[in-house]
Amino acid sequence: MPVLYLSHGAPPLIDDATWVGQLQDWATDLPRPRAILIVSAHWEAAPLTLSSTTPHTPLVYDFWGFPDRFYQVTYDAPVAADVAETLAALMPREHQPVRSGRGLDHGAYVPLTVMYPDADVPVLQMSLPTLDPERLIELGARLRPLRESGVLIVGSGFTTHGLPFLTDPRPDAAPPGWSAEFDAWADEAFRRGDAASLVDFRHAAPGMPYAHPTVEHFAPLFVALGASSDPEQVPTQVIDSGFWMGLAKRSIELV
């Protein structure tokens, strides 16, 4: 299976026809996964923690201030208990993952409702145990064998996420300079396989720290890079979905 880093957005991004159409087409073109392992910007927990493997665990509606319909979304995908067991076997004995009763958060289920709307692919979510890019690449490398058994590994974040600095709340708002500059830089770094620059994004990228005043939405990228066959590779696909509320929705696919 390939590896994805996708920009998942807030729940209202489901109304963005461009983003929805691109994700639907992307899922159609991908090999059918046996299961999905997803790491979302919205779950930081150390040590590494895994979501529930109990059927019918409720979703985590980890947002506020949106219309009621966003709190009524369901996504009752099958559990991926076997993936949890295999993942644990890939981790060092002294760093075994913690099991939890937590459901999928919106960074996981929102894109999955678009890509796999029938909720018929088993899903396991794991936490971000650190925000350090190099450690996340190492973690991703440990997960790489899962791909051989048909597991789709997904890092779910947002290419820019400077929410405190947005001044226009309209979905079609023009991107601020810091968002457009960071996105253009990330696109170039992706297309030349420049993992070293991406790791150093806090210092190397224009638009910082405004593009990521906190860095959890870029961190899932590094799990994806580590899980790929080569973090320095050029992506097989770079999906430019434009901007939403001025934030960049760029996504990539790696092998």
Side-chain angles (χ1 to χ4, degrees), residues 77-162:
V79 299
D82 63 321
V83 178
E85 294 293 335
T86 305
L87 189 155
L90 294 172
M91 295 295 113
R93 182 175 299 177
E94 65 273 19
H95 295 297
Q96 283 296 291
V98 174
R99 306 299 181 93
S100 80
R102 187 182 191 273
L104 304 178
D105 63 46
H106 81 268
Y109 74 76
V110 169
L112 295 181
T113 61
V114 175
M115 299 180 76
Y116 302 100
D118 294 332
D120 55 355
V121 179
V123 180
L124 180 71
Q125 184 174 353
M126 72 177 196
S127 69
L128 282 168
T130 176
L131 296 178
D132 179 78
E134 292 180 342
R135 289 175 60 193
L136 290 173
I137 287 175
E138 292 173 0
L139 171 60
R142 286 191 172 274
L143 302 175
R144 196 177 299 156
L146 291 170
R147 299 172 51 202
E148 301 303 320
S149 63
V151 178
L152 177 66
I153 298 175
V154 180
S156 179
F158 218 84
T159 299
T160 61
H161 201 255

Side-chain angles (χ1 to χ4, degrees), residues 5 37 54 59 74-75 186 195 201 206 210-211 230 235 253-254:
Y5 169 71
L37 174 65
T54 300
L59 300 176
T74 60
Y75 194 74
F201 75 99
Y210 302 99
D230 179 5
E253 178 182 330
L254 303 157

Side-chain angles (χ1 to χ4, degrees), residues 181-199:
E181 291 168 6
F182 186 99
D183 178 58
W185 171 87
D187 182 41
E188 291 179 4
F190 291 155
R191 293 181 188 276
R192 64 176 184 265
D194 190 353
S197 290
L198 291 166
V199 164

Side-chain angles (χ1 to χ4, degrees), residues 197-215:
S197 290
L198 291 166
V199 164
D200 194 38
F201 75 99
R202 291 178 176 91
H203 306 104
M208 288 295 291
Y210 302 99
H212 289 283
T214 58
V215 299

